[in-house]
């Protein structure tokens, strides 16, 4: 299975700050990488797909980048509603796998 | 508007089976794969498998073969997952999620259903 290693495990950010979350795949995944946000008691919501494509309706302060095995999610201008857990997911090979999540809190 | 509506919470005894449903609307069911995913409390998300709405073709995570069986009813645009021989390790929230074609991401999710296995 492809292992997805996310870092950091958790972070806190001030209002308006820019944060980045990293995701490292155990092998190349050809940009078949998606990012999700999950809030407590809710289902995950798609933010970014194909490494850098913004899902419809997602604020433009979210952006994704990367290639090969290394990917990142950047959140610019941190807002209170951005608190939650963020997951990366590879769709390159069965079984599709997720990172362990990064908990983002407002400082 | 795309909607995935899952059945309600389940409390089941060890060794029993349970069938979860995911009723869809707002898109052409037969044109997409539906995936099922598991999330234990405070834990990571695991992909169980997927099923094509058009012909019922399936793909499973090896870890869940023998545990989960996916089916669809095209006439009602509903996907189902049977979980068998339940143990405490199967206590989790289960999500259905519509899956795109390549690059295989999950763009719409059900609200999730809590399955509790307890005697």
């Amino acid at each position: 299975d492809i292992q997805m290693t996310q870092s950091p495990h958790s972070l806190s950010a001030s209002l308006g700050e820019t944060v980045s979350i990293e995701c490292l795949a155990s092998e190349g995944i050809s940009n078949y990488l998606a990012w999700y946000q999950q809030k407590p008691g809710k289902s995950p919501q798609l933010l970014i797909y194909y490494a850098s494509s913004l899902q419809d309706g997602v604020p433009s302060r979210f952006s994704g980048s990367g290639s090969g095995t290394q990917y990142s999610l950047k959140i610019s201008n941190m807002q209170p509603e951005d608190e939650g857990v963020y997951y990366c997911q590879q769709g390159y090979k069965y079984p599709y796998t997720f990172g362990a999540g990064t908990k983002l809190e407002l400082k | 508007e795309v909607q995935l509506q899952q059945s309600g919470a389940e409390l089941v005894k060890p060794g029993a089976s349970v069938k979860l449903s995911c009723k869809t609307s707002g898109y052409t069911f037969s044109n997409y794969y539906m995936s099922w995913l598991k999330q234990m409390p405070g834990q990571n998300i695991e992909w169980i498998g997927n099923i094509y709405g058009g012909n019922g073709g399936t793909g499973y995570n090896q870890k869940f073969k023998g545990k989960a069986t996916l089916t669809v009813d095209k006439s009602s645009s509903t996907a189902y997952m049977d979980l068998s021989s339940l143990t405490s390790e199967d206590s989790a929230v289960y999500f259905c999620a519509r899956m795109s074609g390549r690059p295989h991401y999950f763009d719409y999710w059900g609200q999730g259903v809590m399955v509790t296995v307890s005697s």
Side-chain angles (χ1 to χ4, degrees), chain A residues 5-85:
Chain A
T5 303
Q6 266 185 255
S7 60
H9 175 69
S10 64
L11 74 161
S12 62
S14 302
L15 208 60
E17 188 177 343
T18 295
V19 298
S20 287
I21 300 169
E22 308 295 321
C23 186
L24 178 66
S26 59
E27 61 183 85
I29 57 172
S30 296
N31 289 5
Y32 283 27
L33 191 284
W35 291 97
Y36 303 86
Q37 176 196 62
Q38 187 177 34
K39 299 193 176 183
K42 300 293 187 182
S43 52
Q45 286 200 310
L46 177 68
L47 302 172
I48 301 286
Y49 62 94
Y50 206 35
S52 61
S53 295
L54 191 68
Q55 173 69 350
D56 289 345
V58 175
S60 58
R61 63 179 181 273
F62 291 90
S63 61
S65 62
S67 63
T69 62
Q70 299 186 16
Y71 299 87
S72 62
L73 173 71
K74 185 170 79 171
I75 308 169
S76 303
N77 187 21
M78 172 79 182
Q79 297 297 303
E81 59 267 31
D82 298 337
E83 285 192 312
V85 180

Side-chain angles (χ1 to χ4, degrees), chain A residues 1 31-34 36 38 41-46 49-50 55 87 89-92 94-96 98-101, chain B residues 33 35 37 39 43-47 50 58-62 95 99 102-112:
Chain A
D1 299 1
N31 289 5
Y32 283 27
L33 191 284
Y36 303 86
Q38 187 177 34
K42 300 293 187 182
S43 52
Q45 286 200 310
L46 177 68
Y49 62 94
Y50 206 35
Q55 173 69 350
Y87 295 94
Q89 172 251 325
Q90 66 82 16
Y92 186 66
Y94 274 7
Y96 305 133
F98 289 76
Chain B
Y33 282 88
S35 276
L37 303 104
Q39 187 172 37
Q43 301 282 338
N44 196 2
I45 302 168
E46 294 181 279
W47 177 76
N50 60 20
T58 55
Y60 290 94
N61 183 340
Q62 187 70 26
F95 296 99
M99 193 181 78
R102 292 180 181 180
H104 307 137
Y105 54 88
F106 309 109
D107 55 0
Y108 290 92
W109 295 64
Q111 80 274 22

Side-chain angles (χ1 to χ4, degrees), chain B residues 7 19 25 27 36 45 47 62 65 81 91 99 102 115 118:
Chain B
S7 45
K19 188 169 188 172
S25 61
Y27 73 99
W36 289 85
I45 302 168
W47 177 76
Q62 187 70 26
K65 279 188 176 179
M81 179 172 67
S91 293
M99 193 181 78
R102 292 180 181 180
V115 174
S118 174

Side-chain angles (χ1 to χ4, degrees), chain B residues 31-104:
Chain B
N31 287 353
Y32 287 84
Y33 282 88
M34 184 68 73
S35 276
W36 289 85
L37 303 104
K38 175 184 180 183
Q39 187 172 37
M40 296 178 76
Q43 301 282 338
N44 196 2
I45 302 168
E46 294 181 279
W47 177 76
I48 295 170
N50 60 20
I51 185 165
Y52 189 56
N55 61 9
T58 55
Y60 290 94
N61 183 340
Q62 187 70 26
K63 178 179 177 180
F64 293 95
K65 279 188 176 179
K67 170 63 65 177
T69 302
L70 306 185
T71 56
V72 294
D73 177 359
K74 285 198 297 183
S75 68
S76 63
S77 299
T78 302
Y80 298 93
M81 179 172 67
D82 272 291
L83 296 170
S84 63
S85 304
L86 292 166
T87 73
S88 59
E89 287 300 300
D90 298 314
S91 293
V93 175
Y94 292 88
F95 296 99
C96 59
R98 192 182 80 166
M99 193 181 78
S100 73
R102 292 180 181 180
H104 307 137

